Amino acid sequence: MTSPSDPSTVDLGDLGLDAGARLLLRRALDRVPAGAEVAVAGSDPALVIHLDAWCRREGHTVRPADPGDAPVRARIRRSGTASMRWANAERAGDPRPGRAAGWAEPHWGLAARGALVEAGGPEMFFPVADRDVAWSDLAPRLYRQAAAAQWDPWTAVPWDTPFALPDEIEAAVVQVMTYLVENEQAALVVPARLLVQVHPHFREVLQLLAVQAADEARHVEVFTRRALLRGEVMGTSSVGGRASLTTLFAEADFSLAAFLLSVLGEGSFLSLLSFLERHAPDPVTRRISHLVRQDEARHVAFGVGHLEHRAKADSQLRGRLRAAVERRHDALAGTAGLNQDVFDSLILLAAGSWAPEAIARGWQAVQRLQADMDEGRRHRLSRLGFSDDEAAELSLLHTRNFM
């Protein structure tokens, strides 16, 4: 007779297999070697019938208890093949932050990084499964910064601050806000499209791209709200502006799209947002420009960091970056570039009035803005390994629409 206190005995009490008893059975069987028996005690009326079905499914054998074995009602012999389900399983890399594998296997699919992946599951193919194509060592730190720096559009901006602007100055603000919404919508859909290309094994990159998309959605909200703060009509949208942004969405390569959007486009927007913060005619516009610039600086940092990382592993990258700039320039050669309404609005905001001497100052300020944009682009291109002459040449080929 076997005692229920024996380590090879599991006493289920009145618990049935249909109510969770299988957890206790698996625990008991995991503690004995293959070929050993586990005695099962329990008072559930259907226990023996359910044990028979469960053991067939799990690969074990079961027999009724011998007479006189009470309270034992059955004995399960652990199968040597029951654990074969995990025989060819493998770990999906290292789960620790920043420890992504060099290559993410398709059969890892959506498994958590570091999980023990059962063999034989479905494969999921992601265009970006190579660490060098997706990675930046900055990604974990930038994600932590981005998550901590999220701001609420309803509370971070002083929407109720009283101010009054001349109608034409307000119209200039509305026009610039309309232009910014258009560009931020492009900056929203591009990282959202890039995000689904990346194997989820590179979770830090996915997290950062997801926050980047959330940033841009928030920017669209605040720019739209500022545009409608004093009225109900938005500004104009030019064909050339939309054509320029369409070329960003058309670039399918992960790194080239990040280069055109973050390094060149959003990099130029850092100068524009500084300009708007400096020349904002009201506290709401000033605060929005400041908050958005902080977000955009992270986006640019990831783009530059990613391309610096990839350039170390790919000696041909700079040639493809140059070709991407030239291809985009050629595609936009027949367009008018920056919406004239936007250009004139920037001059008026920097001028602050219609006095000729003020307009002259505003015009000069916009010229300095364009020079600052060019200098910033050349600096970032130099960081990616382009010579000074190459950086200057490529910067001049950047779209006149700024983004």
Side-chain angles (χ1 to χ4, degrees), residues 88-237:
N88 295 317
E90 62 177 294
R91 291 286 175 187
D94 189 327
R96 289 173 291 178
R99 299 294 186 93
W103 177 263
E105 296 293 345
H107 63 266
W108 290 353
L110 299 176
R113 195 163 81 205
L116 184 62
V117 180
E118 182 182 3
E123 295 189 341
M124 296 184 67
F125 291 93
F126 292 87
V128 180
D130 186 330
R131 186 178 189 271
D132 287 332
V133 177
W135 195 251
S136 167
D137 289 335
L138 292 174
R141 177 166 58 85
L142 286 175
Y143 170 68
R144 291 195 300 271
Q145 292 177 353
Q150 296 299 290
W151 46 273
D152 183 350
W154 288 86
T155 59
V157 179
W159 300 108
D160 296 330
T161 302
F163 68 87
L165 300 178
D167 290 346
E168 290 170 310
I169 299 294
E170 176 65 23
V173 173
V174 170
Q175 179 58 65
V176 172
M177 293 297 115
T178 302
Y179 164 78
L180 290 173
V181 169
E182 187 172 274
N183 283 267
E184 294 294 70
Q185 288 182 157
L188 166 60
V189 297
V190 170
R193 182 174 60 83
L194 295 179
L195 193 154
V196 299
Q197 295 184 24
V198 181
H199 195 296
H201 177 80
F202 307 110
R203 65 169 189 263
E204 295 90 343
V205 175
L206 261 66
Q207 290 165 335
L208 192 57
L209 288 173
V211 174
Q212 182 172 334
D215 287 343
E216 305 298 3
R218 188 170 59 244
H219 300 169
V220 169
E221 176 185 349
V222 295
F223 288 143
T224 300
R225 186 170 177 183
R226 173 60 189 92
L228 301 178
L229 194 60
R230 293 290 187 267
E232 299 179 351
V233 178
M234 300 289 282
T236 62
S237 170

Side-chain angles (χ1 to χ4, degrees), residues 155-361:
T155 59
V157 179
W159 300 108
D160 296 330
T161 302
F163 68 87
L165 300 178
D167 290 346
E168 290 170 310
I169 299 294
E170 176 65 23
V173 173
V174 170
Q175 179 58 65
V176 172
M177 293 297 115
T178 302
Y179 164 78
L180 290 173
V181 169
E182 187 172 274
N183 283 267
E184 294 294 70
Q185 288 182 157
L188 166 60
V189 297
V190 170
R193 182 174 60 83
L194 295 179
L195 193 154
V196 299
Q197 295 184 24
V198 181
H199 195 296
H201 177 80
F202 307 110
R203 65 169 189 263
E204 295 90 343
V205 175
L206 261 66
Q207 290 165 335
L208 192 57
L209 288 173
V211 174
Q212 182 172 334
D215 287 343
E216 305 298 3
R218 188 170 59 244
H219 300 169
V220 169
E221 176 185 349
V222 295
F223 288 143
T224 300
R225 186 170 177 183
R226 173 60 189 92
L228 301 178
L229 194 60
R230 293 290 187 267
E232 299 179 351
V233 178
M234 300 289 282
T236 62
S237 170
S238 69
V239 169
R242 296 196 307 279
S244 176
L245 298 177
T246 299
T247 60
L248 291 175
F249 192 75
E251 181 54 69
D253 182 89
F254 180 86
S255 295
L256 299 187
F259 172 64
L260 295 176
L261 173 67
S262 297
V263 177
L264 297 181
E266 291 180 308
S268 298
F269 261 51
L270 292 179
S271 298
L272 176 60
L273 292 164
S274 292
F275 174 94
L276 292 174
E277 183 177 5
R278 185 164 57 251
H279 296 290
D282 63 86
V284 174
T285 301
R286 185 175 303 111
R287 179 61 173 164
I288 289 172
S289 301
H290 176 77
L291 290 169
V292 171
R293 190 183 188 283
Q294 290 180 324
D295 292 341
E296 297 293 353
R298 289 194 306 272
H299 306 169
V300 175
F302 172 69
V304 173
H306 161 65
L307 290 164
E308 285 180 320
H309 175 89
R310 188 166 184 188
K312 294 175 182 178
D314 183 357
S315 62
Q316 305 300 313
L317 178 64
R318 277 186 289 276
R320 296 205 304 278
L321 297 179
R322 166 183 280 278
V325 174
E326 294 172 343
R327 185 166 59 247
R328 189 181 186 207
H329 177 267
D330 292 344
L332 298 172
T335 65
L338 183 67
N339 184 349
Q340 190 66 50
D341 292 340
V342 176
F343 188 83
D344 293 347
S345 294
L346 292 173
I347 293 175
L348 183 55
L349 290 180
S353 78
W354 287 101
E357 60 274 17
I359 294 297
R361 290 195 303 271

